[in-house]
């Protein structure tokens, strides 16, 4: 199986597994316990906090552990508005955010808040001017993803962050797809809240983090109540093994992020060229302008999407975000770009990883092209 679905999840890095194993096999103390083993666990947790913070150019004390990016997003959006105690606040986001953001914002709408939903341009980008035009005197928060999880398009986070800070508007960023590939430095980009997921950067599933700016302080009301862990913002016993795996994965990413991004971007373009040549240009690339190196989204007119995916048993690919696969509907992201349902369904998100090879790219391109040609011959448009 050739894995071209790294945007859904990444394999666990060897460094992460090595770091996790002692905490699964030998050490079991609760990091909140006040004895030698507990303090040892707490030290491991804090070391990992520093490693994840270093990846983002943040201070360790700025990070709150969560169960993943979904919880991180919920805590950021719900917690920020609840702490402020505002009713009917105005929020700004886009129509092509991750489901974790979309569904949380819809829940907030049901509580009486008002959301301006921005529509991306034909390339899938939300411009800084769109955000500026949507702001109102009562705007409390803006939430955007740094990298779109289906298209790889990079949003203008760096341009917007200082402007929103100057206006006193909280800025939440979903960086789940960005952290492994882009040089993020929160000392230079003043966002208030930023969500991370370990399994998108070669760490274990079930652990994530929320960056909470301390200067100026972005205050949150907790969404889980209990023992008051994580500065009172997220109660619950900390899973030491998952946290140290997250830290080790972040350290490994930091050591090779720049070089890896360059190599993977070259492979992505090799894949696009191979598909374009094999299909004589009869395909459409989705997402343009500045894009993350690891995602290529392509539509194939004149074929049935389900039949196409069925003819690729040797490839791990997807038609969109893994979290939306249960609905069996065409990608809402591509439909937001103006694609008809049939074309949106006949699309593949091909996402590469640091272990992807040129041989795998060539084999995948040949398999996809062969499947498309076969289906078009069977049922020509």
């Amino acid at each position: 199986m050739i894995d071209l679905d790294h945007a859904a999840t990444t394999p666990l890095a060897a460094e992460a597994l090595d770091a996790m194993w002692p905490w699964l096999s030998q050490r079991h103390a609760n990091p909140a316990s006040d004895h030698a083993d507990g303090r040892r666990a707490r030290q491991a947790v804090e070391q990992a906090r520093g490693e994840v913070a270093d990846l983002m150019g943040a201070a360790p004390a700025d990070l709150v552990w969560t169960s993943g990016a979904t919880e991180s997003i919920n805590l950021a959006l719900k917690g920020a508005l609840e702490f402020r105690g505002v009713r009917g606040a105005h929020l700004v986001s886009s129509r092509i955010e991750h489901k974790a953001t979309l569904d949380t914002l819809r829940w907030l709408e049901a509580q009486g808040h008002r959301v301006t939903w921005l529509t991306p341009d034909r390339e899938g980008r939300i411009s800084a001017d769109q955000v500026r035009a949507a702001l109102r005197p009562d705007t409390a928060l803006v939430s955007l993803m740094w990298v779109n999880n289906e298209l790889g398009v990079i949003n203008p986070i760096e341009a917007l962050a200082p402007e929103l800070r100057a206006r006193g508007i909280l800025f939440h960023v979903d960086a789940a797809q960005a952290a492994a590939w882009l040089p993020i430095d929160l000392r230079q980009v003043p966002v208030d809240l930023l969500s991370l997921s370990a399994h998108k950067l070669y760490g274990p599933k079930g652990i994530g983090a929320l960056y909470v700016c301390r200067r100026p302080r972005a205050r949150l009301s907790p969404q889980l109540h209990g023992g008051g862990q994580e500065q009172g913002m997220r109660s619950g016993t900390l899973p030491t093994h998952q946290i140290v795996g997250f830290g080790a994965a972040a350290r490994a990413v930091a050591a090779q992020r720049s070089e890896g991004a360059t190599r993977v971007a070259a492979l992505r373009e090799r894949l696009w060229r191979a598909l374009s040549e094999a299909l004589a240009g009869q395909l459409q690339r989705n997402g343009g302008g500045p894009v993350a190196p690891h995602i290529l989204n392509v539509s194939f007119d004149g074929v049935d999407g389900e039949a196409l995916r069925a003819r690729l048993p040797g490839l791990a690919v997807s038609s969109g975000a893994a979290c939306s696969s249960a609905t069996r509907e065409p990608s809402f992201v591509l439909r937001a770009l103006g694609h008809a349902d049939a074309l949106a369904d006949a699309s593949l998100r091909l996402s590469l990883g640091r272990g992807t090879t040129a041989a795998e790219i060539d084999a995948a391109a040949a398999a996809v092209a062969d499947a498309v040609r076969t289906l078009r011959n069977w049922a020509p448009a």
Side-chain angles (χ1 to χ4, degrees), residues 22 30 98 112 170 204 212 255 275 319 359:
N30 188 326
H98 191 277
L170 288 175
V212 183
L275 289 171
S319 58

Side-chain angles (χ1 to χ4, degrees), residues 7-202:
T9 194
T10 53
L12 186 66
E15 298 92 334
L17 179 59
D18 290 344
M20 293 170 68
W21 183 245
W23 299 98
L24 288 165
S25 61
Q26 303 163 22
R27 305 168 188 170
H28 64 275
N30 188 326
S33 296
D34 190 20
H35 50 62
D37 284 349
R39 290 192 294 272
R40 190 176 296 114
R42 184 68 184 180
Q43 183 179 12
V45 165
E46 294 310 315
Q47 177 180 329
R49 198 189 304 271
E51 290 166 338
V52 176
D54 286 346
L55 181 66
M56 313 304 296
D62 295 338
L63 291 188
V64 174
W65 300 120
T66 65
S67 63
T70 294
E71 185 192 345
S72 176
I73 291 166
N74 274 260
L75 174 57
L77 301 181
K78 295 176 182 177
L81 294 176
E82 185 177 325
F83 185 88
R84 288 192 166 195
V86 293
R87 297 187 178 277
H90 178 242
L91 317 174
V92 177
S93 190
S94 86
R95 298 184 183 279
I96 59 170
E97 297 297 302
H98 191 277
K99 283 286 190 178
T101 298
L102 295 177
D103 288 353
T104 301
L105 289 173
R106 288 174 182 138
W107 183 87
L108 288 167
E109 280 187 311
Q111 309 309 305
H113 298 291
R114 293 162 295 119
V115 180
T116 294
W117 298 100
L118 302 177
T119 299
D121 63 20
R122 296 287 295 183
E123 293 186 333
R125 183 166 290 97
I126 301 297
S127 72
D129 285 341
Q130 280 181 282
V131 176
R132 295 183 190 110
L135 299 179
R136 304 175 186 174
D138 62 340
T139 302
L141 183 146
V142 173
S143 180
L144 289 175
M145 59 199 337
W146 205 311
V147 171
N148 185 271
N149 58 315
E150 294 194 26
L151 305 172
V153 169
I154 300 172
N155 281 319
I157 303 302
E158 293 161 307
L160 285 168
E163 296 182 31
L164 296 174
R165 172 66 58 80
R167 297 182 63 156
I169 298 171
L170 288 175
F171 192 16
H172 167 256
V173 176
D174 171 3
Q177 291 292 342
W181 302 106
L182 302 187
I184 296 173
D185 187 348
L186 296 178
R187 292 164 297 196
Q188 305 299 322
V189 185
V191 304
D192 300 288
L193 302 158
L194 183 139
S195 297
L196 296 170
S197 176
H199 79 98
K200 303 295 189 181
L201 50 80
Y202 304 92

